[in-house]
Amino acid sequence: MAYVDLHSHVLYGLDDGAPDQSTAVAMLDGLAALGISEQCVTPHQKAGQYLPDWDRIEQTLSQLETVRKPTHPTLRLGAENMWDDVFYQRAADGTIPHYRGTSAFLVEIPPSLIPVGMADRLFKFRMAGKLPVLAHPERYHQLWDNDDLARTLRASCAFVVDLGAVGGFHGKRETKAARHLLECGLATAVATDAHQLGDLQQAAAGLAWIDKKLGHAAVTRLFDHAPRAILTGELPD
Ligand SMILES: [Fe+2]
């Protein structure tokens, strides 16, 4: 058991995630207990709400590394990029924050509306050798009951479902969508998207659901093999 978690807000004091260092350390304790050996830390990059500057993010990471225990997962810096004007500008400049050392980057979109031209832009990222990774696809209303649209987007990006949604904690419709994406094979991977300590119990419930309904091989595929492949720039089937 050596899971890889692609999405979390463990870096503290930057967004709506961990408020301080001691909470971040407690979260790393909990993430280690879940069996995670590599933890991606992905603070929000969202215009007008959470756009901490990169120096501060790097500084926080360095500080957290100094108190990280040997039992904790290793940390890989990334970001959760909102598909907004800042993102468009960064796409044009080639400065979208990626998972460090990889060609993959995490992106989210507003829940109520798929951005115009999104499928086309995802395809262009792929053609340019990038791997877009879509956070919590279960949240996006236009993907509910529209597997054709989900399949179109999924052809050019990874779908990383939140374990808390699978566990039933992010709303009824989101839970239904998260489980459907897993059952029909459209989900590429799962992640904790942990913002606080309590989210880890919710993630454990999500893992337990997958284990029970889809089997342990599915847990291994979604939380170990697929995230590792993504971090090598590969888009799993
Ligand atoms: Fe997130």
Side-chain angles (χ1 to χ4, degrees):
M1 193 164 72
Y3 300 135
V4 175
D5 186 11
L6 291 170
H7 187 174
S8 77
H9 301 270
V10 171
L11 282 191
Y12 52 92
L14 299 171
D15 57 14
D16 54 346
D20 50 41
Q21 191 181 77
S22 59
T23 306
V25 170
M27 285 172 76
L28 288 175
D29 288 339
L31 290 159
L34 275 183
I36 293 163
S37 63
E38 178 171 350
Q39 183 61 53
C40 298
V41 289
T42 52
H44 285 292
Q45 290 283 287
K46 190 175 181 183
Q49 196 176 11
Y50 303 114
L51 200 57
D53 65 48
W54 208 256
D55 284 350
R56 213 175 118 215
I57 292 172
E58 293 274 10
Q59 217 175 45
T60 308
L61 176 67
S62 304
Q63 287 165 358
L64 187 57
E65 286 284 12
T66 64
V67 291
R68 192 175 69 81
K69 303 171 193 165
T71 50
H72 285 162
T74 58
L75 305 178
R76 187 194 293 263
L77 184 59
E80 181 175 16
N81 300 284
M82 174 54 86
W83 192 290
D84 57 18
D85 289 347
V86 170
F87 177 78
Y88 280 113
Q89 189 56 52
R90 288 175 173 176
D93 299 342
T95 55
I96 295 171
H98 284 51
Y99 291 106
R100 179 159 278 169
T102 81
S103 59
F105 62 86
L106 185 66
V107 65
E108 65 169 334
I109 61 175
S112 55
L113 202 63
I114 301 282
V116 176
M118 181 177 177
D120 186 46
R121 194 166 275 259
L122 290 173
F123 179 73
K124 286 183 177 141
F125 281 127
R126 290 296 288 151
M127 289 301 99
K130 306 285 187 189
L131 176 55
V133 178
L134 186 64
H136 32 66
E138 71 279 1
R139 276 187 209 177
Y140 308 132
H141 305 180
Q142 280 177 275
L143 296 185
W144 296 346
D145 305 316
N146 191 346
D147 285 351
D148 287 342
L149 178 58
R151 244 176 244 115
T152 300
L153 299 181
R154 175 65 180 79
S156 300
C157 73
F159 276 10
V160 179
V161 168
D162 275 4
L163 283 165
V166 180
F169 297 94
H170 292 180
K172 269 194 183 140
R173 196 61 191 80
E174 287 77 2
T175 294
K176 189 180 170 201
R179 293 177 178 178
H180 173 70
L181 290 169
L182 290 166
E183 285 170 330
C184 74
L186 280 165
T188 318
V190 291
T192 66
D193 194 4
H195 284 70
Q196 52 192 328
L197 211 44
D199 291 346
L200 302 185
Q201 281 165 316
Q202 300 186 358
L207 285 175
W209 186 89
I210 296 170
D211 205 302
K212 186 172 169 208
K213 299 286 184 183
L214 305 175
H216 193 69
V219 175
T220 306
R221 177 168 53 81
L222 294 159
F223 207 30
D224 180 348
H225 298 169
R228 283 180 203 282
I230 287 168
L231 291 175
T232 66
E234 192 193 308
L235 178 54
D237 291 335

PDB file of all heavy atoms in Angstrom, residues 51-70:
ATOM      1  N   LEU A  51      -5.171  33.581  -4.705  1.00  0.00           N
ATOM      2  CA  LEU A  51      -4.074  33.602  -5.667  1.00  0.00           C
ATOM      3  C   LEU A  51      -2.773  33.944  -4.939  1.00  0.00           C
ATOM      4  O   LEU A  51      -2.148  34.969  -5.204  1.00  0.00           O
ATOM      5  CB  LEU A  51      -4.393  34.621  -6.783  1.00  0.00           C
ATOM      6  CG  LEU A  51      -3.655  34.490  -8.104  1.00  0.00           C
ATOM      7  CD1 LEU A  51      -3.840  33.127  -8.750  1.00  0.00           C
ATOM      8  CD2 LEU A  51      -4.098  35.586  -9.069  1.00  0.00           C
ATOM      9  N   PRO A  52      -2.378  33.076  -3.975  1.00  0.00           N
ATOM     10  CA  PRO A  52      -1.140  33.352  -3.232  1.00  0.00           C
ATOM     11  C   PRO A  52       0.034  33.389  -4.202  1.00  0.00           C
ATOM     12  O   PRO A  52       0.063  32.613  -5.158  1.00  0.00           O
ATOM     13  CB  PRO A  52      -1.019  32.137  -2.289  1.00  0.00           C
ATOM     14  CG  PRO A  52      -1.856  31.067  -2.900  1.00  0.00           C
ATOM     15  CD  PRO A  52      -2.964  31.768  -3.647  1.00  0.00           C
ATOM     16  N   ASP A  53       0.965  34.303  -3.974  1.00  0.00           N
ATOM     17  CA  ASP A  53       2.059  34.362  -4.940  1.00  0.00           C
ATOM     18  C   ASP A  53       3.035  33.204  -4.727  1.00  0.00           C
ATOM     19  O   ASP A  53       3.093  32.580  -3.667  1.00  0.00           O
ATOM     20  CB  ASP A  53       2.732  35.741  -5.001  1.00  0.00           C
ATOM     21  CG  ASP A  53       3.428  36.115  -3.724  1.00  0.00           C
ATOM     22  OD1 ASP A  53       4.188  35.273  -3.186  1.00  0.00           O
ATOM     23  OD2 ASP A  53       3.224  37.239  -3.267  1.00  0.00           O
ATOM     24  N   TRP A  54       3.747  32.921  -5.813  1.00  0.00           N
ATOM     25  CA  TRP A  54       4.481  31.659  -5.858  1.00  0.00           C
ATOM     26  C   TRP A  54       5.609  31.592  -4.828  1.00  0.00           C
ATOM     27  O   TRP A  54       5.906  30.535  -4.283  1.00  0.00           O
ATOM     28  CB  TRP A  54       4.964  31.362  -7.282  1.00  0.00           C
ATOM     29  CG  TRP A  54       5.082  29.889  -7.467  1.00  0.00           C
ATOM     30  CD1 TRP A  54       6.222  29.167  -7.489  1.00  0.00           C
ATOM     31  CD2 TRP A  54       3.999  28.953  -7.556  1.00  0.00           C
ATOM     32  NE1 TRP A  54       5.934  27.819  -7.593  1.00  0.00           N
ATOM     33  CE2 TRP A  54       4.574  27.671  -7.638  1.00  0.00           C
ATOM     34  CE3 TRP A  54       2.611  29.058  -7.560  1.00  0.00           C
ATOM     35  CZ2 TRP A  54       3.811  26.499  -7.738  1.00  0.00           C
ATOM     36  CZ3 TRP A  54       1.846  27.904  -7.663  1.00  0.00           C
ATOM     37  CH2 TRP A  54       2.441  26.649  -7.747  1.00  0.00           C
ATOM     38  N   ASP A  55       6.241  32.740  -4.548  1.00  0.00           N
ATOM     39  CA  ASP A  55       7.309  32.763  -3.543  1.00  0.00           C
ATOM     40  C   ASP A  55       6.778  32.313  -2.181  1.00  0.00           C
ATOM     41  O   ASP A  55       7.441  31.571  -1.461  1.00  0.00           O
ATOM     42  CB  ASP A  55       7.876  34.185  -3.397  1.00  0.00           C
ATOM     43  CG  ASP A  55       8.778  34.529  -4.555  1.00  0.00           C
ATOM     44  OD1 ASP A  55       9.090  33.604  -5.334  1.00  0.00           O
ATOM     45  OD2 ASP A  55       9.147  35.708  -4.699  1.00  0.00           O
ATOM     46  N   ARG A  56       5.573  32.792  -1.846  1.00  0.00           N
ATOM     47  CA  ARG A  56       4.972  32.419  -0.557  1.00  0.00           C
ATOM     48  C   ARG A  56       4.650  30.918  -0.526  1.00  0.00           C
ATOM     49  O   ARG A  56       4.822  30.256   0.495  1.00  0.00           O
ATOM     50  CB  ARG A  56       3.685  33.249  -0.357  1.00  0.00           C
ATOM     51  CG  ARG A  56       3.452  33.577   1.102  1.00  0.00           C
ATOM     52  CD  ARG A  56       2.255  34.497   1.232  1.00  0.00           C
ATOM     53  NE  ARG A  56       1.212  33.852   2.003  1.00  0.00           N
ATOM     54  CZ  ARG A  56      -0.082  33.992   1.783  1.00  0.00           C
ATOM     55  NH1 ARG A  56      -0.519  34.729   0.790  1.00  0.00           N
ATOM     56  NH2 ARG A  56      -0.946  33.389   2.568  1.00  0.00           N
ATOM     57  N   ILE A  57       4.199  30.402  -1.629  1.00  0.00           N
ATOM     58  CA  ILE A  57       3.894  28.969  -1.718  1.00  0.00           C
ATOM     59  C   ILE A  57       5.179  28.160  -1.507  1.00  0.00           C
ATOM     60  O   ILE A  57       5.212  27.218  -0.708  1.00  0.00           O
ATOM     61  CB  ILE A  57       3.238  28.633  -3.084  1.00  0.00           C
ATOM     62  CG1 ILE A  57       1.844  29.275  -3.162  1.00  0.00           C
ATOM     63  CG2 ILE A  57       3.163  27.130  -3.302  1.00  0.00           C
ATOM     64  CD1 ILE A  57       1.182  29.184  -4.530  1.00  0.00           C
ATOM     65  N   GLU A  58       6.239  28.553  -2.207  1.00  0.00           N
ATOM     66  CA  GLU A  58       7.535  27.850  -2.085  1.00  0.00           C
ATOM     67  C   GLU A  58       8.061  27.919  -0.648  1.00  0.00           C
ATOM     68  O   GLU A  58       8.603  26.942  -0.123  1.00  0.00           O
ATOM     69  CB  GLU A  58       8.571  28.489  -3.024  1.00  0.00           C
ATOM     70  CG  GLU A  58       8.277  28.309  -4.491  1.00  0.00           C
ATOM     71  CD  GLU A  58       8.822  26.998  -5.060  1.00  0.00           C
ATOM     72  OE1 GLU A  58       9.265  26.140  -4.273  1.00  0.00           O
ATOM     73  OE2 GLU A  58       8.778  26.866  -6.304  1.00  0.00           O
ATOM     74  N   GLN A  59       7.891  29.086  -0.044  1.00  0.00           N
ATOM     75  CA  GLN A  59       8.365  29.286   1.329  1.00  0.00           C
ATOM     76  C   GLN A  59       7.615  28.361   2.302  1.00  0.00           C
ATOM     77  O   GLN A  59       8.218  27.736   3.168  1.00  0.00           O
ATOM     78  CB  GLN A  59       8.094  30.736   1.716  1.00  0.00           C
ATOM     79  CG  GLN A  59       9.145  31.374   2.580  1.00  0.00           C
ATOM     80  CD  GLN A  59       8.813  32.845   2.776  1.00  0.00           C
ATOM     81  OE1 GLN A  59       7.664  33.203   3.041  1.00  0.00           O
ATOM     82  NE2 GLN A  59       9.800  33.697   2.620  1.00  0.00           N
ATOM     83  N   THR A  60       6.302  28.281   2.124  1.00  0.00           N
ATOM     84  CA  THR A  60       5.483  27.422   2.977  1.00  0.00           C
ATOM     85  C   THR A  60       5.877  25.954   2.800  1.00  0.00           C
ATOM     86  O   THR A  60       5.983  25.202   3.770  1.00  0.00           O
ATOM     87  CB  THR A  60       3.983  27.622   2.663  1.00  0.00           C
ATOM     88  OG1 THR A  60       3.688  29.017   2.716  1.00  0.00           O
ATOM     89  CG2 THR A  60       3.103  26.890   3.649  1.00  0.00           C
ATOM     90  N   LEU A  61       6.119  25.572   1.553  1.00  0.00           N
ATOM     91  CA  LEU A  61       6.555  24.199   1.282  1.00  0.00           C
ATOM     92  C   LEU A  61       7.876  23.913   1.997  1.00  0.00           C
ATOM     93  O   LEU A  61       8.026  22.872   2.655  1.00  0.00           O
ATOM     94  CB  LEU A  61       6.689  23.964  -0.229  1.00  0.00           C
ATOM     95  CG  LEU A  61       7.223  22.596  -0.635  1.00  0.00           C
ATOM     96  CD1 LEU A  61       6.234  21.480  -0.291  1.00  0.00           C
ATOM     97  CD2 LEU A  61       7.545  22.542  -2.126  1.00  0.00           C
ATOM     98  N   SER A  62       8.827  24.835   1.889  1.00  0.00           N
ATOM     99  CA  SER A  62      10.138  24.640   2.540  1.00  0.00           C
ATOM    100  C   SER A  62       9.973  24.506   4.049  1.00  0.00           C
ATOM    101  O   SER A  62      10.613  23.651   4.683  1.00  0.00           O
ATOM    102  CB  SER A  62      11.068  25.814   2.271  1.00  0.00           C
ATOM    103  OG  SER A  62      11.202  26.015   0.917  1.00  0.00           O
ATOM    104  N   GLN A  63       9.111  25.349   4.628  1.00  0.00           N
ATOM    105  CA  GLN A  63       8.893  25.273   6.079  1.00  0.00           C
ATOM    106  C   GLN A  63       8.262  23.943   6.474  1.00  0.00           C
ATOM    107  O   GLN A  63       8.639  23.333   7.472  1.00  0.00           O
ATOM    108  CB  GLN A  63       7.998  26.434   6.543  1.00  0.00           C
ATOM    109  CG  GLN A  63       8.726  27.770   6.541  1.00  0.00           C
ATOM    110  CD  GLN A  63       7.767  28.958   6.645  1.00  0.00           C
ATOM    111  OE1 GLN A  63       6.549  28.785   6.681  1.00  0.00           O
ATOM    112  NE2 GLN A  63       8.317  30.160   6.686  1.00  0.00           N
ATOM    113  N   LEU A  64       7.311  23.481   5.677  1.00  0.00           N
ATOM    114  CA  LEU A  64       6.653  22.207   5.993  1.00  0.00           C
ATOM    115  C   LEU A  64       7.644  21.048   5.860  1.00  0.00           C
ATOM    116  O   LEU A  64       7.619  20.110   6.658  1.00  0.00           O
ATOM    117  CB  LEU A  64       5.429  22.005   5.085  1.00  0.00           C
ATOM    118  CG  LEU A  64       4.545  20.797   5.399  1.00  0.00           C
ATOM    119  CD1 LEU A  64       4.026  20.818   6.842  1.00  0.00           C
ATOM    120  CD2 LEU A  64       3.358  20.714   4.430  1.00  0.00           C
ATOM    121  N   GLU A  65       8.540  21.137   4.866  1.00  0.00           N
ATOM    122  CA  GLU A  65       9.561  20.082   4.698  1.00  0.00           C
ATOM    123  C   GLU A  65      10.446  19.960   5.946  1.00  0.00           C
ATOM    124  O   GLU A  65      10.890  18.862   6.281  1.00  0.00           O
ATOM    125  CB  GLU A  65      10.426  20.369   3.462  1.00  0.00           C
ATOM    126  CG  GLU A  65       9.737  20.118   2.136  1.00  0.00           C
ATOM    127  CD  GLU A  65       9.605  18.641   1.752  1.00  0.00           C
ATOM    128  OE1 GLU A  65       9.849  17.760   2.609  1.00  0.00           O
ATOM    129  OE2 GLU A  65       9.232  18.396   0.588  1.00  0.00           O
ATOM    130  N   THR A  66      10.679  21.069   6.634  1.00  0.00           N
ATOM    131  CA  THR A  66      11.579  21.015   7.803  1.00  0.00           C
ATOM    132  C   THR A  66      10.942  20.284   8.992  1.00  0.00           C
ATOM    133  O   THR A  66      11.661  19.817   9.864  1.00  0.00           O
ATOM    134  CB  THR A  66      11.996  22.428   8.282  1.00  0.00           C
ATOM    135  OG1 THR A  66      10.837  23.121   8.739  1.00  0.00           O
ATOM    136  CG2 THR A  66      12.681  23.223   7.199  1.00  0.00           C
ATOM    137  N   VAL A  67       9.618  20.195   9.025  1.00  0.00           N
ATOM    138  CA  VAL A  67       8.954  19.503  10.147  1.00  0.00           C
ATOM    139  C   VAL A  67       8.313  18.188   9.706  1.00  0.00           C
ATOM    140  O   VAL A  67       7.695  17.486  10.505  1.00  0.00           O
ATOM    141  CB  VAL A  67       7.872  20.392  10.814  1.00  0.00           C
ATOM    142  CG1 VAL A  67       8.525  21.562  11.541  1.00  0.00           C
ATOM    143  CG2 VAL A  67       6.853  20.887   9.818  1.00  0.00           C
ATOM    144  N   ARG A  68       8.452  17.857   8.426  1.00  0.00           N
ATOM    145  CA  ARG A  68       7.886  16.610   7.917  1.00  0.00           C
ATOM    146  C   ARG A  68       8.610  15.423   8.545  1.00  0.00           C
ATOM    147  O   ARG A  68       9.819  15.420   8.650  1.00  0.00           O
ATOM    148  CB  ARG A  68       8.035  16.558   6.390  1.00  0.00           C
ATOM    149  CG  ARG A  68       7.249  15.458   5.715  1.00  0.00           C
ATOM    150  CD  ARG A  68       7.374  15.564   4.194  1.00  0.00           C
ATOM    151  NE  ARG A  68       8.707  15.244   3.736  1.00  0.00           N
ATOM    152  CZ  ARG A  68       9.171  13.998   3.569  1.00  0.00           C
ATOM    153  NH1 ARG A  68       8.404  12.955   3.820  1.00  0.00           N
ATOM    154  NH2 ARG A  68      10.409  13.795   3.164  1.00  0.00           N
ATOM    155  N   LYS A  69       7.826  14.426   9.016  1.00  0.00           N
ATOM    156  CA  LYS A  69       8.434  13.252   9.660  1.00  0.00           C
ATOM    157  C   LYS A  69       8.771  12.189   8.614  1.00  0.00           C
ATOM    158  O   LYS A  69       8.161  12.157   7.540  1.00  0.00           O
ATOM    159  CB  LYS A  69       7.442  12.646  10.666  1.00  0.00           C
ATOM    160  CG  LYS A  69       6.951  13.608  11.742  1.00  0.00           C
ATOM    161  CD  LYS A  69       5.810  12.956  12.535  1.00  0.00           C
ATOM    162  CE  LYS A  69       5.090  13.984  13.404  1.00  0.00           C
ATOM    163  NZ  LYS A  69       3.792  13.490  13.905  1.00  0.00           N
ATOM    164  N   PRO A  70       9.725  11.294   8.950  1.00  0.00           N
ATOM    165  CA  PRO A  70      10.082  10.223   8.002  1.00  0.00           C
ATOM    166  C   PRO A  70       8.889   9.327   7.650  1.00  0.00           C
ATOM    167  O   PRO A  70       8.856   8.721   6.578  1.00  0.00           O
ATOM    168  CB  PRO A  70      11.135   9.406   8.764  1.00  0.00           C
ATOM    169  CG  PRO A  70      11.636  10.308   9.838  1.00  0.00           C
ATOM    170  CD  PRO A  70      10.534  11.262  10.172  1.00  0.00           C
TER     171      PRO A  70
END
